[in-house]
């Protein structure tokens, strides 16, 4: 007897089954849009009952919350996988590079997280808390820059939020097709270097390309 996608994922545990449901849901959202994002349709696609999905998510709103939280959980894990560096500014730059790479690899989740893909959806307190936790790694990296004297004293979390705002703007333009592939990476790097440069304890000596020497 052929197992369904849900049954196959369930062999690896409840978390794997939950991830399989979310991945199918995000796939339907990409290929068919909001009308396809129903509990009944997802249950049919993955090979389980609507009762299982209602138990898992509580309904469509809970499913969308789960997609939102999953997006930020994946972003947090991507940031946590970035290797450390003896130079805190290099590490901060590597986190920025990883942010862009992750957004390009997971564009559907990125749009759920940031672009209000689902009309009327507003994340609740739990979802917003999950989003906040995703940026703990970058805030810690900014704090390390301050502690090392690379950045001027300041609020590490606030600085990390401003760096995020810059990164998000550039990535959104790239995902929207406004920054072509042959220039997007260069523009992203130049922008992040410029924003980080505003917090340096000492003026940076730059190369002709605008990067710190």
């Amino acid at each position: 007897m052929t197992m369904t996608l849900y049954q196959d994922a369930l062999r690896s545990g409840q978390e794997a089954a939950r991830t399989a449901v979310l991945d199918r849901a995000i796939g339907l959202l990409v290929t068919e849009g909001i009308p396809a994002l129903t509990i009944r349709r997802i249950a049919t696609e993955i090979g389980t009952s609507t009762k299982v999905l209602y138990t898992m998510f509580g309904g469509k709103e809970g499913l969308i919350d789960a997609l939102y939280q999953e997006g930020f959980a994946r972003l947090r894990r991507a940031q946590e996988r970035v290797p450390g560096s003896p130079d805190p500014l290099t590490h901060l730059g590597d986190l920025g590079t990883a942010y862009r790479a992750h957004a390009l690899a997971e564009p559907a989740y990125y749009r759920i997280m940031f672009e209000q893909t689902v009309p009327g959806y507003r994340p609740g307190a739990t979802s917003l808390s999950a989003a906040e936790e995703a940026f703990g790694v970058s805030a810690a990296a900014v704090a390390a820059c301050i502690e090392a004297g690379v950045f001027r004293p300041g609020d590490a979390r606030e600085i990390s939020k401003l760096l995020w705002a810059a990164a998000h703007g550039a990535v959104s333009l790239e995902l929207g097709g406004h920054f072509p592939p042959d220039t997007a990476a260069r523009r992203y790097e130049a922008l992040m270097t410029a924003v980080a440069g505003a917090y340096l304890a000492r003026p940076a000596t730059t190369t002709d390309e605008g990067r710190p020497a």
Side-chain angles (χ1 to χ4, degrees), residues 188-202:
Y188 183 85
E189 182 182 353
L191 175 63
M192 299 311 294
T193 298
V195 176
Y199 298 100
L200 291 175
R202 298 175 301 278

Side-chain angles (χ1 to χ4, degrees), residues 30 69 79 85 100 106 146 156 174:
V30 170
Q69 292 175 30
Q79 295 278 283
S85 171
R100 173 176 174 265
E106 299 268 20
I146 293 171
E174 184 175 0

Side-chain angles (χ1 to χ4, degrees), residues 43-121:
T44 299
E45 289 281 331
I46 201 167
T48 190
S49 67
T50 57
K51 182 179 178 180
V52 167
L53 298 191
Y54 276 113
T55 300
M56 191 177 290
F57 302 110
K60 183 175 178 178
E61 186 76 12
L63 172 65
I64 297 167
D65 259 335
L67 288 170
Y68 181 92
Q69 292 175 30
E70 177 70 11
F72 279 104
R74 292 184 182 207
L75 173 60
R76 186 186 70 247
R77 292 194 294 268
Q79 295 278 283
E80 290 171 347
R81 286 194 295 269
V82 175
S85 171
D87 177 11
L89 189 57
T90 295
H91 182 57
L92 183 62
D94 290 343
L95 289 173
T97 299
Y99 179 90
R100 173 176 174 265
H102 180 73
L104 297 180
E106 299 268 20
Y109 275 108
Y110 191 85
R111 291 188 169 103
I112 281 279
M113 294 153 66
F114 297 121
E115 297 181 6
Q116 297 184 347
T117 304
V118 181
Y121 171 70

